[in-house]
Amino acid sequence: GACRSASDLDGSWKLTLIRVGNTPQQTPGQFHIYLKLHNGALSGHGGCNHLNGQYTADQQAFTVPMVASTKIACLEASPWENKFLERLRASKTYRLEGDVLEVECGDLGGLVFERE
């Protein structure tokens, strides 16, 4: 395929699916879970808390060495946010097809985003 540069990932990405192992779970519509990626800096929202961190994207590798979040607990959103953060921290590789970004997280499954 075409050469990809990490700058292809710049922008805002809305989480649409969390794969828990092989089982896809649709993100509930009432939660706006998203990541903004730019130049190695990551920010976003887990549905409950604001996120900040760093990522590296190189060829197919995608890793998140550091992500911090505010510490509010939300009855409805927290389980989703926790699943999201757990996988984000375990990110290994990515695949970008058009406006869909898929991040593979090893045994935990994966995250699927759409460009906003």
Side-chain angles (χ1 to χ4, degrees):
C3 279
R4 291 222 175 279
S5 77
S7 66
D8 289 350
L9 294 179
D10 281 5
S12 186
W13 299 92
K14 180 183 193 297
L15 183 71
T16 57
L17 281 179
I18 295 180
R19 279 209 328 279
V20 178
N22 290 323
T23 312
Q25 299 187 355
Q26 189 83 39
T27 314
Q30 73 262 39
F31 308 134
H32 184 205
I33 301 178
Y34 68 91
L35 286 182
K36 286 193 166 130
L37 303 178
H38 181 68
N39 220 4
L42 169 161
S43 63
H45 200 264
C48 182
N49 287 281
H50 289 282
L51 313 176
N52 275 293
Q54 297 158 352
Y55 69 95
T56 58
D58 181 35
Q59 305 197 340
Q60 296 313 117
F62 182 87
T63 56
V64 178
M66 202 285 286
V67 61
S69 70
T70 49
K71 293 283 186 264
I72 307 160
C74 304
L75 197 60
E76 304 268 306
S78 286
W80 287 92
E81 182 170 273
N82 292 339
K83 276 191 267 199
F84 172 53
L85 283 172
E86 185 184 22
R87 280 157 189 78
L88 192 59
R89 290 186 173 109
S91 299
K92 293 188 174 20
T93 60
Y94 78 98
R95 196 167 68 238
L96 185 57
E97 284 179 20
D99 288 332
V100 177
L101 169 63
E102 196 159 343
V103 176
E104 292 293 332
C105 310
D107 295 341
L108 288 175
L111 300 169
V112 181
F113 300 88
E114 278 178 16
R115 194 184 286 279
E116 294 198 283

